[in-house]
Amino acid sequence: MPAGLYRALLTVAGAAVAIVLAVAISSVAISVAGASPEAAFAALFNFGESERAVVNGITSMINRSVPLFIAGLAVAVGFRMNLFNIGVEGQYRIAALCAAFVGAQFSLPAPIQILLIIVVAAAVGGLYALIPAVMKVTRGVNEVISTIMLNYIAIQLAAFLVRGPFTGERAKGQLTTSTPTLPESAWFPNLNGLFEMFGLPAPRGGGLWGFLAVAVLLGVAVWVLLERTKFGFEVKASGLNPMAALAAGVKPKKMVIAAMVLSGAIAGLIGLPEILGDKHNFGSNFTPGLGFLGIAVALLGRNRPAGIAVAALLFGFLDRAQGPLQFANVPPSVIAIMQGAIVLLVVVANEITSRMALRREERRAARQLGRHTPVEVAA
């Protein structure tokens, strides 16, 4: 069997075993909570009885997956460089706030308006990620510590700005504050037509976020950049062995800055699906935790855009099930247990399968070497 196919089959088998074990662990947790595992898993796959309910459930799952996919890409770029950009959480918060505020200050033709908001978000996220990158290459500060501390600064700074200088008009009796509402030219068109093409009813609310198309293009661009370009090779080489990369003419410090800034720029886009497709502002109740979930999504997807997409859909599927689980009298915390168990077990399975594949290749190389005579080997 070819080595590539063997490794792929091992990966799939390891992931399948990990998911089965995660289901078993979740069943124990559900039983301990006093609920029925059978009812819980039935509710997990319950999208509703009517066509509209099914469409709404699928839309909710995909909409939840889009920002998680972008977050996973942002984290994966850092991981490829052996950098742990834990600061994705703070980078997307401050970037989303600045992009929403700047976009509400004027009205331009729709494509220009949306493009400008995207550029602002990416620029702010990249610049905020530049801080720990410069600290690392100039003073040797560990990026995990610096990005965690910068998360707290960004979260508190965003909370201050949205309640102070960046706040918009607030309706009487409204408890939350937000930036001014974006003009309609900044509202990203939805993709409800995809459902109508198949004769299905359009989902309610904001519908299927149009930023899904941008996320797909972004995933393709990241794959091409990391797998098919000189930059991607230099990033991986610098991450694996900085000294060897330096001897080959690559500047590891320069690649640290480039990888971290690129990771932050992608992170800056995480909040845009919600801003451009649903809320049209940044509020004090803006969705938190997407950056931290992105770490789990990237690990689950093995830092590959295709794998990250599958992991994001899995997390979106589980998050969507919180409502049906509550109707089945199952605590919503079970979802968090399932997500944590899946990530932990898949990471362990990946490590085991990687070692198995490596040992197989070593044995094959040893057998091939043993077939030669001592004279042939010496020659």
Side-chain angles (χ1 to χ4, degrees):
M1 182 184 297
L5 178 60
Y6 179 78
R7 184 180 289 270
L9 291 176
L10 269 182
T11 301
V12 173
V17 171
I19 291 175
V20 170
L21 290 176
V23 169
I25 293 173
S26 302
S27 299
V28 174
I30 293 169
S31 300
V32 171
S36 167
E38 293 81 5
F41 288 111
L44 198 65
F45 292 93
N46 180 18
F47 281 81
E49 298 179 357
S50 65
E51 281 190 349
R52 186 172 295 277
V54 173
V55 168
N56 289 336
I58 294 174
T59 300
S60 175
M61 180 183 74
I62 297 176
N63 285 349
R64 178 62 173 173
S65 302
V66 171
L68 291 178
F69 173 66
I70 300 174
L73 290 178
V75 175
V77 170
F79 279 167
R80 284 296 188 93
M81 180 67 201
N82 229 1
L83 294 172
F84 295 90
N85 183 11
I86 312 298
V88 169
E89 180 73 18
Q91 291 154 18
Y92 96 80
R93 295 271 200 104
I94 199 70
L97 171 64
C98 293
F101 179 75
V102 171
Q105 301 308 304
F106 45 80
S107 180
L108 298 173
I112 300 176
Q113 181 92 4
I114 292 174
L115 180 60
L116 181 62
I117 292 174
I118 292 175
V119 169
V120 169
V124 173
L127 288 173
Y128 202 70
L130 179 62
I131 300 173
V134 171
M135 293 171 66
K136 182 177 180 65
V137 300
T138 58
R139 294 291 180 238
V141 178
N142 187 286
E143 73 276 6
V144 174
I145 297 174
S146 59
T147 51
I148 288 176
M149 295 299 101
L150 285 168
N151 273 343
Y152 288 103
I153 295 174
I155 292 170
Q156 298 305 320
L157 179 60
F160 163 74
L161 291 174
V162 79
R163 291 179 173 85
F166 287 4
T167 189
E169 294 183 3
R170 182 166 57 172
K172 186 177 180 180
Q174 183 179 350
L175 299 179
T176 59
T177 58
S178 64
T179 58
T181 301
L182 293 172
E184 290 191 16
S185 60
W187 297 10
F188 209 108
N190 60 47
L191 298 178
N192 291 346
L194 294 177
F195 294 106
E196 296 170 356
M197 286 173 55
F198 295 96
L200 297 172
R204 65 184 179 185
L208 183 61
W209 291 344
F211 211 83
L212 170 65
V214 177
V216 172
L217 293 176
L218 181 63
V220 173
V222 169
W223 178 81
V224 171
L225 184 65
L226 295 180
E227 302 292 345
R228 293 293 185 268
T229 66
K230 178 184 177 182
F231 174 82
F233 172 77
E234 290 178 346
V235 164
K236 286 184 283 188
S238 300
L240 290 172
N241 194 326
M243 298 305 296
L246 182 62
V250 180
K251 298 179 180 179
K253 290 185 177 181
K254 179 182 177 182
M255 299 314 299
V256 167
I257 293 176
M260 187 65 87
V261 170
L262 177 60
S263 176
I266 297 173
L269 307 180
I270 295 172
L272 295 190
E274 184 175 343
I275 290 175
L276 299 180
D278 184 21
K279 293 185 176 179
H280 309 302
N281 59 38
F282 182 98
S284 54
N285 60 343
F286 195 75
T287 304
L290 295 175
F292 296 126
L293 283 175
I295 299 173
V297 170
L299 289 172
L300 193 58
R302 303 195 70 175
N303 299 324
R304 300 290 192 277
I308 291 171
V310 174
L313 285 171
L314 175 61
F315 272 53
F317 169 76
L318 293 174
D319 285 341
R320 175 215 60 85
Q322 290 189 15
L325 284 175
Q326 287 183 342
F327 284 111
N329 296 321
V330 179
S333 56
V334 169
I335 295 296
I337 294 174
M338 290 186 68
Q339 290 175 338
I342 289 173
V343 172
L344 178 62
L345 292 170
V346 166
V347 169
V348 173
N350 287 343
E351 182 64 24
I352 293 173
T353 55
S354 295
R355 293 186 179 185
M356 290 174 63
L358 180 61
R359 288 176 182 175
R360 182 176 184 269
E361 293 171 6
E362 290 174 347
R363 287 195 298 268
R364 174 180 291 183
R367 285 196 300 268
Q368 291 177 350
L369 185 61
R371 292 172 184 170
H372 299 284
T373 63
V375 176
E376 290 175 330
V377 174

